[in-house]
Amino acid sequence: MNNVIATQNLLEECKKQSNLEKIIFLSTDEVYGESSLSLPIGHKEDATLNPTNPYAASKAAAECLMNAYRISYKLPIIITRSNNVYGPGQYPEKIIPKFIKNILNGDKWYIILRFLTVIFTRSYIFVNDLIDALQLIMEKGDSFIYNIGTNFEISNKELALALLSHFHLSDDHLEYTCDRVYNDCRYLLDYQKITILGWKFKITFEQGLTETIEWYKHNLNKWWR
């Protein structure tokens, strides 16, 4: 409903406007589908879309709508595809704030392993770096699609251990569970195009994780609960 129907409704309203400078649609790295664990270079913006889960498929559908309205009605649309965003204030369904919440609440938490052998990795970008990229695209973007990413990858287990280390806790807090119905192992982006505009990520994962943890520590009662 949000990614397809609401997106088309918004585009229909945009058709009626005569003074739109840019429409920026935030998509996801998941539209490319799973990246091979042996792949040294990520997907470029012109790669064929191959979504492998319903969420990614709905984002790809929204991208198709964006492209159709861009061509048919000359709307000034730019699509961005980014890695996993994290940072202070993120909704607790996402892995980093969810794990932090569980630690602060004294709950156990789960790491998904596929048959206990396959490693799931994700690339992360700090929210401030994403905002800088979007600001730059608003000011200077002249291409239809931009990837926004980092060169940092971490497995779910490594992420869990990094969070536990920040709190000086052992891995006794981890429990392992079966894989969900669909779960791609890896998403990897080639984000060289946006660097040509002058953007680069500034916040290391360690810096971003520390800032995120500190925010949740000080906002647990008035925000989480």
Side-chain angles (χ1 to χ4, degrees), residues 54 56 59 66 79 87-88 91-93 114 121 136 143 164 169-170 188 190 192 197 199 222:
K59 295 294 278 190
M66 289 285 166
I79 290 173
Y91 191 69
E93 70 172 1
R114 182 181 295 173
T121 68
L136 187 63
S143 185
L164 288 171
L169 296 172
S170 72
L188 191 63
D190 182 318
Q192 293 305 305
L197 293 182
W199 178 86
K222 59 187 176 184

Side-chain angles (χ1 to χ4, degrees), residues 33 42 44 54 59 69-70 75 86 98 115 157 192 207:
K44 293 181 180 293
K59 295 294 278 190
Y69 278 74
R70 179 180 70 98
L75 292 182
Y86 73 102
K98 185 172 186 177
F115 310 122
K157 184 174 182 179
Q192 293 305 305
Q207 291 171 321

Side-chain angles (χ1 to χ4, degrees), residues 59-129:
K59 295 294 278 190
E63 287 197 20
C64 288
L65 285 169
M66 289 285 166
N67 189 44
Y69 278 74
R70 179 180 70 98
I71 294 172
S72 295
Y73 305 109
K74 312 305 178 192
L75 292 182
I77 292 169
I78 294 178
I79 290 173
T80 68
R81 299 169 181 156
S82 69
N83 291 145
N84 285 19
V85 184
Y86 73 102
Q90 188 173 34
Y91 191 69
E93 70 172 1
K94 301 301 182 182
I95 186 170
I96 291 178
K98 185 172 186 177
F99 282 6
I100 294 172
K101 176 178 71 73
N102 285 354
I103 290 175
L104 293 173
N105 282 336
D107 300 329
K108 286 206 171 187
W109 27 302
Y110 296 87
I111 299 297
I112 292 174
L113 295 179
R114 182 181 295 173
F115 310 122
L116 301 179
T117 57
V118 178
I119 298 173
F120 297 102
T121 68
R122 291 294 183 266
S123 299
Y124 289 90
I125 182 170
F126 192 62
V127 61
N128 292 24
D129 283 329

Side-chain angles (χ1 to χ4, degrees), residues 103 109 159-170 206 213:
I103 290 175
W109 27 302
L159 171 60
L161 293 176
L163 284 165
L164 288 171
S165 177
H166 271 267
F167 288 91
H168 307 291
L169 296 172
S170 72
E206 180 67 23
I213 289 170

Side-chain angles (χ1 to χ4, degrees), residues 119-213:
I119 298 173
F120 297 102
T121 68
R122 291 294 183 266
S123 299
Y124 289 90
I125 182 170
F126 192 62
V127 61
N128 292 24
D129 283 329
L130 177 66
I131 291 169
D132 287 345
L134 294 174
Q135 181 69 36
L136 187 63
I137 289 170
M138 283 191 283
E139 295 171 358
K140 299 182 180 180
D142 58 1
S143 185
F144 177 39
I145 302 171
Y146 288 96
N147 287 337
I148 306 173
T150 70
N151 59 6
F152 177 81
E153 287 185 89
I154 190 170
S155 72
N156 289 347
K157 184 174 182 179
E158 289 170 333
L159 171 60
L161 293 176
L163 284 165
L164 288 171
S165 177
H166 271 267
F167 288 91
H168 307 291
L169 296 172
S170 72
D171 60 4
D172 292 341
H173 287 255
L174 298 182
E175 290 187 3
Y176 297 94
T177 187
C178 298
D179 193 6
R180 63 192 184 190
V181 176
Y182 62 87
N183 196 9
D184 292 330
C185 285
R186 185 192 194 204
Y187 302 113
L188 191 63
L189 293 178
D190 182 318
Y191 56 92
Q192 293 305 305
K193 184 192 286 189
I194 193 172
T195 64
I196 296 173
L197 293 182
W199 178 86
K200 63 179 180 179
F201 68 91
K202 301 172 184 174
I203 307 298
T204 67
F205 187 71
E206 180 67 23
Q207 291 171 321
L209 195 62
T210 299
E211 184 173 334
T212 302
I213 289 170

